[in-house]
Amino acid sequence: MQYRYQFILIVFMIVFFPKQITAQENPPIPLNVQVSTAQFLNFGSFAVDNGVGTVSVDADGTRTWTGDVKLLNTGATVSPALFDVYANPGTLVNIMHDSQFTLNGSSGQTLTLEINSYSTGKTFITSAASEIPNPVYVGGTLNIGPLSANGAGSYSGSFTLTFIQE
């Protein structure tokens, strides 16, 4: 008999004193990582004597050199590459790529490019809303041989970065 009164009391409370029950909101709809190129990597102008060296552009746009390289302040503006990454806030993204890329010169010679500088690190967490880009600046290093191997001229090429949503 006592259980019957408790059951009636519980039903009475539910019917006459309803309370809205809430739960955690659903997570945002998954959004695949989308990337667009906003700016190209450019090392500017430089000259090399008969030695070897490197020219680097960091993710912050700082250009440095080693060895027998002379930086020139003419020609194209030095810049890191800029990629706009669109993803849900809190998405873990990992940047993957080959260790080296080849750039071809106008005189048929080649240079080696290493991608090695990231404004976000190779692994980062997005923070902007999905419709706002997360900027990722990327820099690299050119490995330059002697003038006989890397003659004067314009060198160009491409590199591929893969942005992986973890």
Side-chain angles (χ1 to χ4, degrees):
M1 190 71 146
Q2 184 178 3
Y3 294 113
R4 183 175 179 203
Y5 291 121
Q6 287 177 345
F7 177 73
I8 292 172
L9 180 61
I10 291 172
V11 169
F12 178 77
M13 290 177 63
I14 291 173
V15 171
F16 293 104
F17 301 104
K19 180 167 171 107
Q20 183 177 3
I21 298 173
T22 58
Q24 182 178 1
E25 68 180 55
N26 291 329
I29 297 171
L31 175 72
N32 290 331
V33 173
Q34 296 177 354
V35 181
S36 61
T37 305
Q39 176 177 286
F40 296 112
L41 176 59
N42 196 319
F43 292 89
S45 297
F46 55 88
V48 181
D49 287 333
N50 286 325
V52 297
T54 64
V55 176
S56 296
V57 174
D58 291 338
D60 65 3
T62 302
R63 181 170 69 156
T64 57
W65 79 99
T66 64
D68 208 13
V69 175
K70 308 285 188 270
L71 301 179
L72 305 174
N73 291 321
T74 62
T77 303
V78 174
S79 65
L82 170 58
F83 299 96
D84 288 335
V85 178
Y86 296 87
N88 284 331
T91 301
L92 179 64
V93 177
N94 189 10
I95 303 172
M96 303 291 292
H97 56 79
D98 290 340
S99 61
Q100 294 183 339
F101 301 91
T102 300
L103 303 181
N104 296 308
S106 55
S107 60
Q109 297 166 328
T110 62
L111 288 175
T112 302
L113 167 65
E114 296 176 18
I115 300 299
N116 54 17
S117 178
Y118 315 87
S119 62
T120 58
K122 281 186 82 170
T123 301
F124 64 97
I125 297 174
T126 59
S127 58
S130 60
E131 66 277 0
I132 298 172
N134 293 271
V136 178
Y137 290 90
V138 175
T141 300
L142 289 177
N143 296 303
I144 304 165
L147 187 59
S148 59
N150 297 123
S154 177
Y155 288 79
S156 63
S158 62
F159 58 90
T160 302
L161 303 181
T162 304
F163 291 78
I164 300 171
Q165 178 177 339
E166 301 272 333

